[in-house]
Structures are given as structure tokens and as C-alpha cells.
Amino acid sequence: MSADIPGAMSPPQEEWTKKERTRRTGGVFSLAGRGVPLRALVFSVAALLVPVVGTFTLAGERSGVEDALLWLVALIPAFLLAYYRGWRGVATALAAGMAMLSVTYAGVTALDREVPPLLFFVVVAYLAIGLGIGWVTEMLHRERTEVEDLALTDVLTGLPNRRHGEIFLKHEFAIAERGRPLTVVLFDLDGFKQYNDLHGHQAGDEALAKFGEVLATNTRRMNVSARFGGEEFLTILAGSDERGALVFAERVRASLASTGLTHGSLTVSGGVAAYDPSMGSPDELVAAADLALYQAKEGGRNRIKAFRRPGDLSGDGTGISTQPEGETPAGEELPSHPPAARTRFGEGRWALIVEDDQAVRTMLAAYLKREGFAVVETGDVTEGLRAMGREFDLVITDIRLPGPSGNELVAAVKARWPATQAVVVTGFRDAQVAAEALNAGADHYLFKPFGIPELQGHLVDALMRRDRILADRQERLLLTEEARRRKGEAHEAILGGTRALVRAVEVRDPYTLGHSERVAHYAVALAGGLGSRPRIDLERLFLACELHDLGKIGIPDAILNKEGSLTSDEFDEVRKHPDTGCRILEPLLGDDLILAVTRWHHERWDGLGYPDGLAGDAIPHVARLVALADTLDAMTSTRAYRNRIPWDEAVAHIAEQGGSQFDPELMDLFTSTLPTLREFFTRATQD
């Protein structure tokens, strides 16, 4: 039965060639397959008529050389048709030119007029130049076709790449809007990151290539299966309904489960979504499949689920129907799927809206609340940054706002909470504006005015990607004991290297010798006095303080050891060191506490710090604590540009800065910990 379901099953493809994949984009062809525009045909005919008319009307008024050269105008059709039709175009042009030449000079002979003596050389030159044009053009066509193939093909799997898939999907989506069924299936390999980490990238590449073969074998010629990114694959089933797509997806799932790999086996989960008239773009269709895929992952993996939407398609909610586990045997009917309970996609999530237009802000807030979000609204970036003391699932911001721009908010949000999805909305339809927002870290971009279906598509896609990021983080915690051991050994080696870099920084700046260790002792003493307040891992805190100034390795010696005041440009160089340190440590350690201390120990409670200008609770608590410890040691230590400040004077200054430079809630902790801090200071200065 399943063989009769559109898109459900297909015989193995005879050959999965690059040309076939290129043809299946629904409109991307090599140049040799182009149609010739009418204007080019008209111009070609006119070019052929020029020497004919000249031969009969200007006979005897020109030399034989001029008469011969006049026929070279007939080469113009060869140039034009070669561009559009390659060898076939050149052959057509040459045949037409020779026919016109023969007929013309037959007529000249019949009228007893003299045939130009150079006619033979004209014919030879005409043929030689025409064939040369054809050869060069054909070479260009072949190179162009190869480039098109590379631009549309994923080299590792041999499947079409994301761009190819998006082109085909856009084409089929337009046809679906006119009534033809369309379904997509989004696949994701289960546990691929652990598999890749445990067995190495070569094994991971082998797994991706094997799954590419499975998809290629099961995908019909009228459809496209593309690698959509990483371990994610998208199949576009043109003319297929949801029932057929479920059978197809289940067949792919079962095929992979039975495919052996060098280091074991992998499973795949899939999300199925069928086109609905309420969907305004292909992105909404893919977002629906992404939502179903996420539910399949949450449901235990190695399964296929279909997206369900209730009768009201304006954003009232979504539901998921679960496809039964296990392979559906050929010839058996799939069980019907009962309607799923309504679930608002924002249930249990938090959203921040930063928009100075009250009407737009109210509309967005009402919609998000209807979808189950807890919503915080602000009208400017400063208030938005203060609200970032907690992690939001979603931040929606305009770009043009009073004071700092929305792009600054996006950059701060992505620095503080990388998994938070930032959606930028603006009324400026300018490519440069969009590029600036995306460079700042925006995940989605919407032009005003926009409809609720369009907004919903972007939000569903954004939230599913956030959940996938969080799920990937969780997967990384599930490594095997052997992988943990290897990771521990590598971690110790990395720590040794980073500590050596810190020592190198201190050698370059003798005035900071021992600074990181003293800050660590101060910070640990302060953290130890927190009592029942948020507890901090003291071992990780000590390490974070040891590494917090690592980024100074990028500051030139002339600035690092300058005895006088720094210029504005020199201070800008110094302000880069938290970001530099974070960039060095992130790929090596990936520890959130260490990265928070490294990046934000120079932020201020009032928002005037650097590098991100975070304020208040938006600054991680551990970074606020280290900022106090760092300032205490810096003030009580000698620097190239000043002598050390007496202990009591430094303590008084810090106390005065509570509520401006420092978290006011840390002041009581600072006061109660002073005896311990003073004891360590005395011991350190004596040493």
C-alpha cells in the first residue's frame, strides 16, 4: 500500500548525480538549458540580414575586402546563441549564416554580378571563429555548472545543501499555495554530539555520510532531501500528504536503525509538518516541523511525530500527535491520530519586549500573554538591560529606540544569556540595518508591519532552537566515564597552559605580580560569608579569579606599563581585555562561572562599566563579587601610574561606591568580612 502513497516510499535511485540534484531545485538549471529570449532571436535575424541587404543594394560601391568584412556581422548570432544554448546555439547560428551566405551568392550569380574573390576566406574565417566561440562558451558552461553543483551540494553527504533545499522548498511552497499538497520532514540524529565527542570527528563524518545514503535511497526523484545544518536534515515531499510523509519518515528511521556504523549505531528522530493555508512563508512550515521534532526528542527519541494545529490558525496554540514507535510494515494502514490537547507554545516561558511605540508594545504583549508567556515590557534599552537579571526565553526589541539602540541590547543579551532568542523588529527596510542587527547577534528579523501568523512562525522557530541549544548542553553532561576521564586529562592540560599564560601576563607587568591570586583569596573570603544566600563553588571561583585578567596578554607593553595617564585610545585597548580573555577561555574551558567572571568583572552596578554596559541584577552575582575583590586589591597595590592607597582609605572608598559602582547588597557582606580580608592583606604584604 505504502508504495501508492505520494512521497511515502520509492525504489532506490539509479544514480544520485550532481546534475540530478541540480535539476531538482525546481528551477535551477545550467546555462546550456536556457531558453533564448525573443529579443535575442530578433537581433540575430537582423544581424544575418545586414550582409544580405548590403550585398544586393551596395553592389559595385565597395571593394571585395569590405564586402567580405560585411559578412563578419553574421557572427553576432553565434555570440548570442552560444551564451544561451552553448554548442547547439553556435551550430544553429553557423547553419543559418551559411544558408544565408549560399542563398545570397546564388542570387548574386543569377543576376550576373561579381562574386567577391575573398568569399572562400570569409567562409573559412566564419566557420573557424564560430567554432572557437562554441568551444570557449562550452568550457565556460561546464565550469559554471560545476560551480552551481558545488554551491548547491553538501560535500560530506553528497546531498543537496541548505541553500538548495530552501530554493526547492520556496518553489514548492508557491505551488502549495495554489492547492497542491506539500509536507516536510525535519530529521535530527539522536545523541550525535556524544557520538562525535566519544569517537572523533572522522566517525561523526562517517555517520552523517551513512545517513545521507539512507535519505538518498529513500527519496523519490520528485522530492528533495537536503542537509540543513550539522546533524539536521530536511526532506521536502512535493505532492505528499501527512500520512505519506509519516510512512516515509518511519521508513528512514527504521533504515538507519538497521544500518551498522564502525563504532555502533545511531538513531534518528523526525518531525513532520504539512502545508496549511495559514502559513505565510516556508519558514513557518519548517518551524512547525521543528516543533514536532523537539517533541519527538522530548518523548524519548528514535521516533517520528507530526505537527498538529487546532482549527483557529491565528496563533491560539499547537498540538502534537505522536506517531507509534516501531516500523510500519508495508501494506498496513497507519492508525488514525486523535486530536491532541491544546498547548500554548509560550506556556511557562518568559519574554521581554523593548519597544517605545506604546501601541505596538501593547499588541505584542497581549499576543504573547495569550500564548502563555510571562511578559516584561519596557520602552528603552536601559530599562531592558536592568530587567536582564533573569534569563528570558525570548527578547523582542525595536532597533531605533530613545538612547542606546536595540542592537546594543541584543549584543548584551547574547553575551549574558547566549541561549536567549533575540527577535528584532523595525520599520526600516534597509539591508544595512538588517546586517547590523544580525551582526549584533539577532536570531530573527521582522519588518513592520507584520502579521500574527508571520510573527508566530518566527517565534516558534526561535523557541525550538533555544530548546535545542539547552538540550545540547544537557547532552554534553551525559558523556561516558571514559570520555569524562579523557576530558579531565585534557582539562588539566588546558589549565596548566592557561595558568602559564597568566604568569606571562604578570611577567610583562611586574606591578600586577600576585594580583590574580590575591583577588582569588579576597573573593573566596567574601563568597564564604554568603551564608544561606546563593552559594558559589569556591574551587571554581578561585580558578576564575586566577584567570580573570588573562585577556591582558593582548594589551601592548607600552600601554600596560605606562607611568602616566592613558589616552582615550589607550584606554579603549585596555577595555578590550575582558572580551579577549573570554574568547581565549570559552573554547578551552566552557565553564559558565569562569567565563562570567572573566567577561564581566569590570561591569558596574550603575551600568557605566565595560565591556557590555550591563547594570544591576543583569550582572552575574559572582562577577559583582569579584569586581569588589578586584578593586580592593588594585587600590591597595602599587601601579606604574600611582602608589598604593592605604587600606582604610581603600575600604572607605569602596563603601562609598555601594549602589553606584558596586552592588549595594554586598556592602554588609564586605563589612562583615573585613577582618578576614585585612588579615590576608597583612600577610600578603609582609611576604
Side-chain angles (χ1 to χ4, degrees):
M1 180 223 52
S2 55
D4 299 327
I5 300 174
M9 296 173 59
S10 65
Q13 296 176 349
E14 295 175 4
E15 185 180 11
W16 186 257
T17 64
K18 291 182 178 179
K19 287 187 177 180
E20 286 171 346
R21 289 194 296 274
T22 302
R23 292 190 192 104
R24 288 164 55 176
T25 60
V28 179
F29 299 96
S30 67
L31 286 173
R34 287 184 177 183
V36 182
L38 179 61
R39 63 180 180 276
L41 291 174
V42 171
F43 195 75
S44 298
V45 172
L48 288 174
L49 291 176
V50 167
V52 175
V53 173
T55 299
F56 284 104
T57 59
L58 302 176
E61 298 182 15
R62 61 192 184 284
S63 68
V65 174
E66 292 173 336
D67 192 61
L69 292 176
L70 186 63
W71 274 96
L72 293 180
V73 176
L75 285 171
I76 291 177
F79 281 103
L80 288 175
L81 298 184
Y83 176 77
Y84 291 102
R85 305 293 292 178
W87 272 118
R88 287 175 292 174
V90 171
T92 301
L94 289 178
M98 293 302 297
M100 294 293 288
L101 183 67
S102 301
V103 171
T104 300
Y105 283 104
V108 168
T109 303
L111 295 174
D112 293 327
R113 295 184 181 181
E114 182 182 358
V115 176
L118 296 177
L119 178 61
F120 173 77
F121 298 102
V122 170
V123 173
V124 172
Y126 184 78
L127 290 174
I129 295 173
L131 292 173
I133 293 170
W135 180 79
V136 171
T137 306
E138 189 66 22
M139 294 296 293
L140 292 175
H141 284 175
R142 289 179 182 177
E143 292 182 4
R144 175 67 177 269
T145 300
E146 289 178 3
V147 171
E148 288 176 347
D149 288 339
L150 290 174
L152 297 170
T153 304
D154 176 64
V155 178
L156 176 61
T157 63
L159 292 174
N161 61 15
R162 181 175 185 133
R163 178 172 177 266
H164 186 154
E166 288 176 341
I167 292 172
F168 185 80
L169 178 58
K170 184 177 180 180
H171 176 264
E172 291 301 323
F173 191 88
I175 296 176
E177 289 179 318
R178 297 193 292 272
R180 190 168 84 169
L182 173 65
T183 312
V184 299
V185 185
L186 193 62
F187 293 102
D188 188 270
L189 294 177
D190 299 323
F192 178 77
K193 289 191 180 297
Q194 296 110 294
Y195 185 91
N196 197 50
D197 290 341
L198 184 59
H199 302 299
H201 293 296
Q202 185 173 356
D205 290 348
E206 178 205 10
L208 292 171
K210 283 288 186 182
F211 186 63
E213 293 177 9
V214 169
L215 275 180
T217 300
N218 287 279
T219 303
R220 299 172 64 183
R221 291 179 183 274
M222 65 182 292
N223 302 320
V224 159
S225 287
R227 186 180 179 190
F228 219 52
E231 66 271 24
E232 200 170 68
F233 296 80
L234 181 72
T235 297
I236 304 155
L237 302 172
S240 173
D241 59 13
E242 180 188 290
R243 184 162 153 269
L246 285 169
V247 175
F248 163 80
E250 176 60 25
R251 184 174 180 82
V252 170
R253 186 201 67 78
S255 296
L256 180 64
S258 62
T259 299
L261 301 174
T262 304
H263 300 282
S265 61
L266 280 173
T267 60
V268 69
S269 297
V272 174
Y275 167 80
D276 188 276
S278 70
M279 295 176 176
S281 70
D283 288 341
E284 291 188 43
L285 180 58
V286 175
D290 201 10
L291 176 59
L293 173 60
Y294 171 72
Q295 294 293 335
K297 292 279 191 179
E298 286 291 290
R301 307 180 184 181
N302 192 24
R303 63 193 63 207
I304 308 299
K305 289 199 176 183
F307 176 80
R308 284 284 183 273
R309 183 173 289 176
D312 182 357
L313 300 174
S314 63
D316 286 347
T318 60
I320 300 295
S321 68
T322 305
Q323 200 263 342
E325 296 178 34
E327 183 177 5
T328 303
E332 293 186 12
E333 294 287 344
L334 284 171
S336 60
H337 301 287
R342 179 181 179 279
T343 304
R344 297 184 297 177
F345 71 87
E347 203 72 58
R349 298 181 185 271
W350 283 78
L352 172 65
I353 302 173
V354 183
E355 169 64 68
D356 61 330
D357 188 322
Q358 180 65 49
V360 175
R361 191 164 74 241
T362 301
M363 181 272 292
L364 287 172
Y367 167 67
L368 292 177
K369 289 175 182 176
R370 196 164 63 244
E371 289 295 346
F373 286 90
V375 179
V376 176
E377 304 175 49
T378 70
D380 60 72
V381 170
T382 302
E383 289 302 314
L385 287 172
R386 291 192 180 278
M388 290 303 299
R390 63 156 296 119
E391 182 173 9
F392 288 88
D393 297 274
L394 182 71
V395 172
I396 302 177
T397 180
D398 201 340
I399 292 181
R400 304 294 172 87
L401 294 164
S405 75
N407 288 342
E408 294 181 49
L409 173 69
V410 169
V413 167
K414 299 303 283 188
R416 178 68 178 89
W417 305 108
T420 295
Q421 295 295 291
V423 178
V424 170
V425 295
T426 183
F428 294 90
R429 292 182 174 270
D430 185 285
Q432 182 62 34
V433 174
E436 290 174 358
L438 295 174
N439 287 336
D443 298 286
H444 290 264
Y445 195 92
L446 279 172
F447 290 110
K448 299 177 184 175
F450 51 82
I452 291 298
E454 181 184 6
L455 175 63
Q456 178 180 317
H458 282 277
L459 297 188
V460 169
D461 183 54
L463 292 173
M464 292 309 101
R465 293 190 184 281
R466 168 178 166 77
D467 290 339
R468 298 282 286 283
I469 292 171
L470 297 178
D472 287 345
R473 286 183 184 173
Q474 187 62 31
E475 285 183 3
R476 287 196 290 269
L477 299 176
L478 302 177
L479 298 173
T480 64
E481 287 302 319
E482 175 63 18
R484 289 178 189 275
R485 184 185 65 78
R486 293 179 183 176
K487 184 178 180 181
E489 293 174 353
H491 183 75
E492 288 302 317
I494 290 169
L495 284 182
T498 52
R499 285 186 172 118
L501 289 176
V502 172
R503 289 193 293 273
V505 172
E506 294 185 343
V507 167
R508 293 175 62 217
D509 182 8
Y511 291 101
T512 61
L513 188 63
H515 167 70
S516 295
E517 184 178 351
R518 293 192 297 272
V519 171
H521 283 287
Y522 289 151
V524 168
L526 288 167
L530 286 172
S532 59
R533 283 175 282 183
R535 294 188 178 276
I536 299 173
D537 185 325
L538 299 185
E539 183 178 347
R540 292 165 63 210
L541 174 61
F542 196 96
L543 176 60
C545 293
E546 284 186 292
L547 304 178
H548 78 286
D549 272 341
L550 177 61
K552 286 185 177 179
I553 198 168
I555 301 176
D557 289 346
I559 297 176
L560 204 59
N561 297 310
K562 185 174 180 179
E563 295 185 359
S565 300
L566 298 178
T567 66
S568 176
D569 289 341
E570 289 171 339
F571 188 60
D572 286 342
E573 285 296 318
V574 172
R575 287 165 62 100
K576 294 177 182 177
H577 82 267
D579 181 64
T580 302
C582 197
R583 290 175 182 271
I584 293 173
L585 293 173
E586 185 173 13
L588 298 176
L589 300 178
D591 187 301
D592 291 340
L593 186 149
I594 294 174
L595 295 177
V597 168
T598 303
R599 185 173 185 87
W600 294 304
H601 67 277
H602 281 296
E603 300 289 0
R604 291 171 52 108
W605 183 259
D606 56 14
L608 299 180
Y610 60 89
D612 298 310
L614 299 183
D617 290 333
I619 307 169
H621 188 268
V622 68
R624 286 178 253 158
L625 188 143
V626 173
L628 195 156
D630 183 60
T631 302
L632 177 63
D633 185 70
M635 295 180 70
T636 56
S637 301
T638 300
R639 292 290 185 263
Y641 51 88
R642 61 159 173 80
N643 292 324
R644 71 180 184 86
I645 297 172
W647 175 266
D648 292 337
E649 186 179 332
V651 169
H653 175 80
I654 290 174
E656 291 173 0
Q657 293 298 311
S660 55
Q661 183 175 352
F662 304 111
D663 181 354
E665 294 186 2
L666 289 179
M667 292 301 100
D668 289 341
L669 173 65
F670 177 60
T671 302
S672 64
T673 315
L674 272 176
T676 304
L677 300 177
R678 180 59 184 266
E679 180 183 350
F680 176 77
F681 169 75
T682 302
R683 190 166 61 250
T685 52
Q686 288 175 348
D687 294 343

